[in-house]
Amino acid sequence: MTSSMRFMMIATYFAVILTTLVLMCAYVIGLLSENLYDSETVDMFAKANIISATVSEAWETESENEEERFADYVERILAGTNIRGVVENSSYTVLYDTNRESELLGKVYMRDVIKLALDGEQAEITGDGENGTKMISVAVPITQNGNIIGTVYLTQSVGTIEDTIKSTRTSLIVFSALIVLLIGMLSLAMSYIITSPLAEFTEVAREISKGNFSKRINVKGQNEIAQMGETLNYMCDELGLLEEKRRKFVSDASHELKTPMAGIKLICDSLVSTENPDSAMVKEFLNDLSEEVDRLTRIIERLLALTKLDAGGTSLKLEEVDIKVLVGNVVRKLTPIANPRDIVLYTDYHDIEFGSILLDYDKIYEAIYNIGDNAIKYSPDGAFVEFDVSEQIGSIVIKIADNGPGIPEGERDRIFERFYRLDDSRARDTGGTGLGLAITKEAVLMHGGSIEVYDAEHGGSVFKITLPYSRTI
């Protein structure tokens, strides 16, 4: 995959550079050629017009030799050039030709540009000469008293222009080849620089897919690839923590399920091994069996609830709720549990008239109930549990305080972990599963709230739930 990507990158670079260079060379050569030809044509027209003006003045001058009448004017203007000059009258008869070897003097010499000049135009044409060389020809009329009496025809080879263009083209090709070579080397280097980390990413991703979350990317620099490496490393860390939590969860869940199952098996074995058990013994065994089944049912229900929360399959069923009614219902539900141990439950609403709050009644009810239930279980006989509801800016605060043994500061961050118990043996005796506070925290967080725990002033612990709240008028 890396090699094919490297090839694609190099091929793309080459295609872009070659296309750019070809277009650039074509543009430069075309522009140079056009400028050189235009410049030469303008220069020839300038010379032709000067000759036309001077020849017009000497047109009526008598001379024994017709050729000598124009020679001085034409040759002086064309001196130092390789331009051929021809002067003709209106009948296309050559009156003067700088190329004496052509033997055109006195003969008829016709060209398209000459005809256009006699029609009153300044004409030019570029084409191939007799020996295949490229030629530029111009013709301008000779006028006298507003009448066209002849033409000046100039022509020259543009081999020097073609040589200049060819030399420039060769230089551009060599320059382009050097650029392509340099770009090729840079492209190869860049492709290795870019794809090498990707190869490492691929290897790490392959290891992650196998469940090996210990692999890491060697991050260098602060560029986008380095940021990708940091992101992948962070993902590995998170997956590693998730895997660790999963294993712990499976281990703890297996242990929790194993205990009641072992109790059930022990009761069944005891009942089976007892010969002729009386009805009282059978009833006692069945009661114990029912308690273990109830305990197993509670664990499974809590596990299913947490699984739904983790999977996001449990959505909030929001409704307008009177928070005082909700807390009051929780207290009434807990009162039968608290009364046998003379634990007093009371509420304090600070004489505040709360408006309706939008929340999932069942989830917040269970969250408050779990905290209150734990407070009763872990408080001594004759203790109290206080449910304090107050309002802050943008939120409602629910505090559940007790005067029990409290929670050590080092354990407060762990009490919301699944299956974690401060007193494992006592929790089992009270029927705890170690999942209640985990469910409580998930329910509060789903509402965009927060939960914390700290020491109460009079001893014991305070659980503080903060829920978003906008007062409605």
Side-chain angles (χ1 to χ4, degrees):
M1 171 182 161
T2 305
S3 58
S4 61
M5 183 177 181
R6 187 177 297 130
F7 172 77
M8 288 296 297
M9 291 179 63
I10 295 174
T12 302
Y13 288 146
F14 268 105
V16 172
I17 294 301
L18 284 174
T19 302
T20 303
L21 289 174
V22 168
L23 293 176
M24 183 190 71
C25 290
Y27 175 76
V28 170
I29 294 299
L31 185 63
L32 177 64
S33 176
E34 181 181 356
N35 287 338
L36 289 175
Y37 277 105
D38 287 347
S39 176
E40 193 64 32
T41 302
V42 169
D43 182 62
M44 291 179 67
F45 269 123
K47 287 180 171 58
N49 281 297
I50 293 173
I51 294 172
S52 173
T54 55
V55 166
S56 175
E57 295 176 359
W59 193 266
E60 299 298 334
T61 303
E62 294 183 1
S63 174
E64 295 180 359
N65 189 338
E66 188 78 12
E67 182 179 1
E68 293 179 357
R69 182 169 48 158
F70 305 108
D72 182 55
Y73 303 106
V74 177
E75 291 179 0
R76 185 173 68 249
I77 295 171
L78 299 180
T81 69
N82 62 346
I83 300 176
R84 177 186 178 186
V86 177
V87 178
E88 295 185 2
N89 60 19
S90 58
S91 300
Y92 299 97
T93 302
V94 176
L95 303 179
Y96 175 75
D97 186 0
T98 57
N99 184 8
R100 292 179 174 84
E101 296 178 357
S102 65
E103 298 180 352
L104 289 178
L105 192 65
K107 298 180 180 180
V108 174
Y109 183 69
M110 298 184 65
R111 288 287 186 273
D112 291 338
V113 290
I114 295 175
K115 182 179 183 304
L116 292 173
L118 288 175
D119 290 337
E121 299 181 21
Q122 294 195 11
E124 60 91 13
I125 190 171
T126 301
D128 294 331
E130 296 176 357
N131 55 357
T133 59
K134 202 161 189 179
M135 308 290 290
I136 295 179
S137 301
V138 300
V140 298
I142 302 172
T143 59
Q144 191 177 69
N145 299 324
N147 298 317
I148 298 175
I149 59 175
T151 63
V152 175
Y153 171 72
L154 302 182
T155 183
Q156 73 165 336
S157 170
V158 289
T160 55
I161 295 178
E162 290 297 307
D163 291 342
T164 301
I165 294 173
K166 289 179 180 178
S167 176
T168 304
R169 184 183 294 114
T170 302
S171 298
L172 286 174
I173 292 174
V174 173
F175 179 70
S176 299
L178 291 175
I179 290 179
V180 169
L181 181 61
L182 179 60
I183 293 297
M185 296 172 62
L186 291 176
S187 300
L188 185 62
M190 286 297 296
S191 67
Y192 273 97
I193 291 173
I194 294 174
T195 58
S196 294
L198 296 181
E200 188 177 1
F201 290 168
T202 303
E203 180 182 356
V204 171
R206 188 177 292 111
E207 291 297 321
I208 292 174
S209 67
K210 296 177 182 179
N212 181 9
F213 305 120
S214 62
K215 297 289 290 184
R216 294 293 183 273
I217 297 293
N218 184 20
V219 178
K220 297 178 182 178
Q222 297 294 328
N223 55 26
E224 288 78 2
I225 294 179
Q227 293 175 8
M228 288 175 58
E230 291 175 354
T231 302
L232 188 58
N233 288 342
Y234 175 77
M235 184 182 72
C236 289
D237 293 336
E238 292 298 310
L239 288 174
L241 291 174
L242 184 63
E243 177 64 12
E244 183 179 349
K245 289 181 179 179
R246 185 191 68 80
R247 291 178 180 176
K248 186 177 184 302
F249 179 81
V250 172
S251 176
D252 292 340
S254 300
H255 179 72
E256 292 294 330
L257 294 173
K258 182 179 180 181
T259 302
M261 292 300 293
I264 292 173
K265 187 175 189 312
L266 179 62
I267 293 170
C268 292
D269 290 344
S270 299
L271 189 60
V272 170
S273 62
T274 302
E275 295 183 5
N276 301 319
D278 56 31
S279 59
M281 179 182 293
V282 172
K283 186 175 182 180
E284 180 181 355
F285 280 161
L286 291 177
N287 285 333
D288 292 340
L289 186 62
S290 178
E291 290 177 1
E292 292 297 331
V293 171
D294 289 340
R295 180 180 173 187
L296 183 62
T297 301
R298 285 196 301 272
I299 294 173
I300 293 174
E301 288 176 348
R302 292 294 175 89
L303 286 174
L304 289 174
L306 281 174
T307 301
K308 289 181 179 180
L309 290 174
D310 288 341
T314 303
S315 59
L316 293 175
K317 299 178 181 178
L318 298 176
E319 57 182 308
E320 292 187 352
V321 175
D322 187 329
I323 195 66
K324 293 169 67 174
V325 172
L326 187 151
V327 173
N329 290 339
V330 172
V331 172
R332 280 191 293 274
K333 184 72 172 181
L334 291 173
T335 298
I337 302 174
N339 285 342
R341 297 176 53 201
D342 296 324
I343 295 177
V344 179
L345 307 181
Y346 63 93
T347 58
D348 186 357
Y349 302 113
H350 302 279
D351 297 325
I352 299 175
E353 291 298 328
F354 298 97
S356 297
I357 179 173
L358 198 64
L359 49 78
D360 188 314
Y361 182 94
D362 292 337
K363 286 183 173 56
I364 297 302
Y365 178 95
E366 184 176 11
I368 299 173
Y369 181 92
N370 287 339
I371 297 174
D373 185 46
N374 282 346
I376 294 172
K377 289 177 181 178
Y378 290 97
S379 295
D381 293 348
F384 70 88
V385 177
E386 176 186 8
F387 295 81
D388 180 286
V389 184
S390 61
E391 180 181 356
Q392 293 181 354
I393 298 176
S395 60
I396 280 183
V397 178
I398 305 168
K399 298 178 183 177
I400 300 98
D402 61 64
N403 60 344
I407 301 173
E409 185 174 355
E411 304 289 336
R412 290 173 191 167
D413 292 336
R414 301 195 60 193
I415 60 174
F416 296 104
E417 295 179 8
R418 300 170 184 186
F419 299 109
Y420 182 78
R421 300 183 182 91
L422 286 174
D423 187 346
D424 192 67
S425 60
R426 184 175 179 186
R428 294 184 190 280
D429 292 339
T430 56
T433 63
L435 298 173
L437 290 181
I439 294 176
T440 296
K441 182 178 180 179
E442 292 290 341
V444 172
L445 293 179
M446 287 180 69
H447 285 79
S450 62
I451 184 170
E452 57 182 307
V453 59
Y454 54 88
D455 289 333
E457 295 180 359
H458 45 70
S461 301
V462 178
F463 282 80
K464 178 182 176 182
I465 296 175
T466 304
L467 297 172
Y469 168 64
S470 296
R471 177 176 286 277
T472 57
I473 299 176

